[in-house]
């Protein structure tokens, strides 16, 4: 048996990455894909690396029966296309940001418009299995985390949960350009982006409330403030989130290593690294590498999370969630080493 | 059942890529790996993207019984480590150049030393399944093609075989830097190589006689001369071979498309592209994309072959050869879409 | 005294590069710049690296008197904006392709429209000083060469002029992405172009007739056929043209070295290199490095030309032409070492 | 008149960049250069982009009289080669770290060896003209700042001086690979570094005490703690230092903009940017772009400094210091726009 997956908006980077990864899934396969701008084309015609899919065509709508739906629509447009499936009881994974913030007011503030489906928010589970595996298994609507939040939350969760740090938490994140999406020209052209690093949306990126929400949920007592500054670096894939938080008390490196090791002992896709991790060691696979470092002299925890923004930060995470929702092995189809070098 | 594979010199890029690909092979697994400089370390300690291998350690020598051996030793050193296995009847795939040239004098001329094992040359088969699948199936010693020759020969073979072109054949090849190997500093440092293109070993690279040999083998009549000029371009993986040969007669694009389509109709890993192919569409997978173009006005065939130098140009090709030698499906373990973007 | 320069369409890469280089010119300065899309903005506001220009604003039209005009308009639109200046006797350098091909029918064939100002063609001089310095000095309308032709013609000119080669000439050129222009998204996005090499417009690029025209002009007897294949490589600046032509007779490397050395003995911006040159050694400066190599065994000349497509391939060449047209030193303002690494 | 400059160890990236920039200096020229490994070669033979220097050869020692010396020797070796010149009264600019830390004990702690010339420390001035222009003018021994400290200190100085922030200061810095030096292979090879971001020497880099020392010198009251984390990003040149410090009181963006604007009003090479600056806008030139941002909600100042690590972070800064020490215009030879794109 093989579950039938529908991908809405397969033509963005997240959608096409889901298609790449599902090709090798032992228990699921793509049944239908949509994508307005390229509708009518064969998937392999639009994207030559997906030529393996042969005659599968990009449609206007999901066609036929599917057992689960992944939406890679843009935020705010996604809820509307997810809604019919949610109502019909078809499990949905929303890769957009529509269902990540539990408070519709926060959505309105950060996205500049009212939440498109506030009545569905209560059903949604934040799809980070390292924190919510049990809830994801029971859910029919999973909000796939943002790429920056996935790396940042995984870097900080054990320390925040254990209460060894307080705010303000600073998240200085570096991202490859694919996070900006497919076919984005102008300021994301090769000539402009190559040999360049720059920050953008300083303390004003809509991934900030997502990080803050999840760190707050792990905190006993006052939620830490979060200052989040994203940067673009000249590479295609990869996120490196460097997080800083004052230590509440004097802890040793060994103590923190134990804490993190225990926290992620059963997580198939988060591994604690003893040395500063490289984004390149996650290229194309679903791993998040975490490295906590105790700057004892300054009483500061520096904790790093790295991952491939299109895999653990998007499509791979969606498949991991799908596996849980459909009762398959958590790592089904995702047990692929990174492509290195 | 799963065949036991030994990898000699797993610590170079080709060896570590074989390890990456074998992780997902349904009918074979790594039993033992060697690598002098890092012997004693766990494979995942030396190369974090191979952490999936857990406790597997890099040894000094192949340990225990293996069903097949791949050697990723440097050329000229490889024959010596392959020899005991060949003599013992263990199938061997040599990723180095030791057994590619059939004429030991040609080896001596191009590599500056006598052939290390001339008595074994007669057993060796050139491991390009698009040309020699039947022979590879029967062989115990396969010479895995060089990365440049694989792309170049696949680009030209149908035209040469059909006799529609003559010499001189010009092969202008562009390669990513990983072809230079792991840990090669100095002139391959990032600062020096980034934002740079340069040619090297003009008409003097030891892949030239390999290309010439195989084109000659496909020719009825006089073998074409080959001028081969390799270039380094600033990317990690990928080879783009642009080949030029005068047409013997007036042929149409449609005729050449048919010729190429037919030639590769049954090849699982060479696909004829109707548009100029991108190296990036092969990143991490075993596909070679070929695009023949008829420059009718000038009576010239321009034919392009692109592939990932570490996969179809090295480790993936080795696994494809292994599959044939051990009687498995030709594409076992290699049916992975390229990682794009 | 300082000549007043007008730049039409300063907002493309060629135009803004002219502005960069003119900042340090001892005998000329920018008096007026135009650029429709950004008209009204300060130059330094639109392009922060040109902040040195202070209050200079981008206008709709050239304002005030100028002593010379450079047009960086798109081809076919350029002639119309150049015409009034040509008629008024103001020296014009056209960086577009409008006046490069001497035959208006060739223009029509390659650009798909009638030539916009055929009556001016007879006044135009092809602006490659290595071939036409005397004519450029006397001209009021100079057609600045294309980036690919500049590198290719300089690589082949001495050999063609000396009659030691014949056709077919093959030009395999590799270009950085800035050749595609500013703000070009989609297929020139970082994510798509990084880690990729591909050919485009095979034997169908409008720089081909330009190369053929100039090689023909150097030839006694039958003009050589030219097959031109451009490739994109992942870097911002740089062109590497690798040219191949059969030798007419047996010549030695030393003979060819002498021939090239003599040909360029007085050229301030073409230097013959004894080793394969690197594009990076020309980044940001006006040098073209040429390396002829005799592949004696195959009777083939391989000759390489490398340059920065925005400098010797566009804006630097325009300034070199300006210097000649206005009677200044040929290298005025251009004596800047390349930026390396 | 033109001052005669000696460069010790011209063969590293900083030394060769000084040679590049001095070529266009109106009041100084290179008289003698040294470099052990390449001694005897012409400068242009060793580094083709410096071919303009013609017959100038790399020597073992500074030869003949010079008016000023720049040392680009490695730290700890530099003091010894500087000492004879200091004693002879020849002005010296040390690009290494030997004279940056005023406390010899700090040197010993961070560099693992006793200070090589503690008796000279009192003569040394920290060569950041934005802070110490007057002292530099009077000094015969200037310690050129480190690349990370230059960007970090310039980003924070106005705020620290004004007392609007307190510690802990977090400096999250991203650097191109040229900071690692020339010919550094292995972990700085293209294949390993491309498509990768990683942190290194977390809270343990010897630029940390340099940043802390200078911020302390600007502070009234308790010196702020500094946590410094450097990262490597895949580009050749450029540093992007993102600095975070808690605000002491509620300040507006306008207030901070004024503060920074005033602080740098007369600095020719530090400019306050109203938008997040790009490292690419400083490539090849001596500018530092600074952007302070008030994260009012979190009471945090985020301040960014970007520069070219080989220019304002090394050789350009050295020339700026030379200009001051020899009584020339501060921007002599440095008024070159950045190379963009």
């Amino acid at each position: 048996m093989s579950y039938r997956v529908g991908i809405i908006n397969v033509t963005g980077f997240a959608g096409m990455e889901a298609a790449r990864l599902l090709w090798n899934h032992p228990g699921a396969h793509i049944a239908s894909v949509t994508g307005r701008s390229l509708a009518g084309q064969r998937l392999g015609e639009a994207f030559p690396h997906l030529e393996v899919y042969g005659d599968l065509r990009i449609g206007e709508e999901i066609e036929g029966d599917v057992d689960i739906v992944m939406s890679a629509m843009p935020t705010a447009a996604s809820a509307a296309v997810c809604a019919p499936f949610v109502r019909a009881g078809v499990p949905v994974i929303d890769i957009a940001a529509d269902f990540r913030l539990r408070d519709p007011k926060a959505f309105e503030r950060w996205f500049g418009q009212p939440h498109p489906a506030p009545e569905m928010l209560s059903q949604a589970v934040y799809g980070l299995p390292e924190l919510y595996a049990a809830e994801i298994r029971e859910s029919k609507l999973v909000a796939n985390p943002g790429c920056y939040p996935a790396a940042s939350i995984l870097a900080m969760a054990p320390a925040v949960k254990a209460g060894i740090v307080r705010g303000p938490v600073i998240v200085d994140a570096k991202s490859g350009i694919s996070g900006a999406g497919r076919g984005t020209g102008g300021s994301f052209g090769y000539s402009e982006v190559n040999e360049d690093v720059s920050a953008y949306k300083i303390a004003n990126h809509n991934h900030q409330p997502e990080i803050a929400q999840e760190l707050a949920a792990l905190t006993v007592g006052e939620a830490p403030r979060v200052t989040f500054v994203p940067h673009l670096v000249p590479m295609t894939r990869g996120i490196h989130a460097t997080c800083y938080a004052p230590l509440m008390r004097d802890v040793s490196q060994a103590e923190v290593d134990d804490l993190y090791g225990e926290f992620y002992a059963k997580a198939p896709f988060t591994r604690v690294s003893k040395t500063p991790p490289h984004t390149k060691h996650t290229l194309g696979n679903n791993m998040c590498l975490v490295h906590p470092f105790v700057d004892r002299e300054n009483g500061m925890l520096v904790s790093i999370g790295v991952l491939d923004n299109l895999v653990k930060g998007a499509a791979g995470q969606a498949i991991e969630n799908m596996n849980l929702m459909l009762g398959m092995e958590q790592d089904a189809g995702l047990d692929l080493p990174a492509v290195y070098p």
Side-chain angles (χ1 to χ4, degrees), chain A:
Chain A
M1 215 220 70
S2 172
Y3 286 108
R4 297 161 299 179
V5 184
I7 301 178
I8 298 173
N9 199 28
V10 75
T11 58
F13 281 158
M16 81 169 71
E17 185 72 350
R20 175 179 80 87
L21 291 166
L22 282 166
W23 180 254
N24 295 108
H25 199 288
H29 67 277
I30 293 183
S32 176
V33 297
T34 80
R36 293 286 158 83
S37 63
L38 301 173
Q41 287 193 33
R42 288 190 309 103
L43 190 56
E45 185 184 352
F47 307 116
H49 72 297
L50 299 177
E51 182 61 41
V52 286
Y53 278 103
D55 287 334
L56 181 72
R57 282 187 190 276
I58 303 171
E60 296 269 354
E61 307 290 340
I62 293 292
E63 288 158 22
D65 289 342
V66 292
D67 299 306
I68 193 160
V69 164
M70 294 178 185
S71 167
M73 288 291 283
T75 292
S78 195
V81 300
C82 291
F85 295 98
V86 174
R87 283 190 214 106
V90 177
V92 169
I93 297 158
D94 182 20
I95 301 179
D98 294 32
F99 298 106
R100 293 180 196 158
L101 300 181
R102 292 188 193 98
D103 177 359
K105 291 217 169 57
F107 183 95
E108 186 161 354
R109 178 185 157 199
W110 285 92
F111 293 93
Q113 58 186 288
H115 193 280
E119 74 285 359
M120 289 182 180
L121 275 177
S122 64
Q123 305 173 50
V125 170
Y126 190 73
L128 197 59
E130 285 80 355
L131 302 183
Y132 300 108
E135 292 86 342
I136 293 164
R137 279 196 189 90
E138 302 303 317
S139 177
K140 290 288 180 82
L141 175 56
V142 166
N144 216 54
C147 50
Y148 286 124
S152 309
I153 297 164
L154 292 172
M156 291 303 299
V160 171
K161 182 90 182 294
I164 61 170
V165 293
R166 53 184 172 78
V169 173
I170 285 164
V171 178
D172 184 296
K174 300 91 182 159
S175 175
I177 312 298
S178 62
R182 186 173 72 90
T184 46
S187 52
F188 302 114
Y190 185 90
S191 299
E192 286 85 355
V193 168
N194 188 35
E195 283 283 302
D196 187 42
V197 174
S198 63
Y200 68 105
K201 295 189 183 170
I202 300 176
N204 194 30
H205 190 289
N206 61 48
H207 283 179
Q208 179 165 326
E210 190 179 333
I211 300 169
Q213 166 185 286
E214 295 305 321
L215 296 189
L218 289 160
T219 311
V220 180
E222 198 189 357
R225 289 198 170 283
V226 174
T227 293
F228 171 60
V229 180
H231 301 73
L232 287 181
V233 297
M235 62 182 186
T236 298
R237 291 169 177 244
I239 279 184
H240 187 292
T242 318
C243 308
Y244 303 83
L247 287 160
M248 294 285 272
R249 55 179 174 86
D250 188 39
V251 293
S252 68
Q253 183 67 45
E255 196 178 340
V256 170
D257 286 347
D258 286 350
L259 180 68
Y260 273 67
E262 199 169 320
F263 194 96
Y264 292 122
K266 293 180 182 169
F269 293 114
T270 297
R271 191 167 71 229
V272 183
S273 169
K274 292 203 172 159
T275 53
H278 292 247
T279 61
K280 200 178 180 76
H281 283 136
T282 67
L283 197 151
N285 94 332
N286 198 49
M287 192 64 66
C288 177
L289 298 174
V290 167
H291 175 65
F293 180 91
V294 176
D295 175 13
R296 216 160 179 175
E297 186 165 1
N298 291 313
M300 187 72 72
L301 179 73
V302 182
S303 188
I304 291 168
V306 309
L307 49 76
D308 183 327
N309 55 304
L310 296 179
V311 190
K312 184 66 173 174
Q317 181 62 81
I319 292 171
E320 191 182 348
N321 283 323
M322 175 189 81
N323 290 343
L324 292 172
M325 293 166 82
L326 297 179
M328 294 184 283
E329 290 295 315
Q330 188 169 346
D331 68 349
L334 295 170
D335 182 23
L336 299 160
V339 177
Y340 183 93

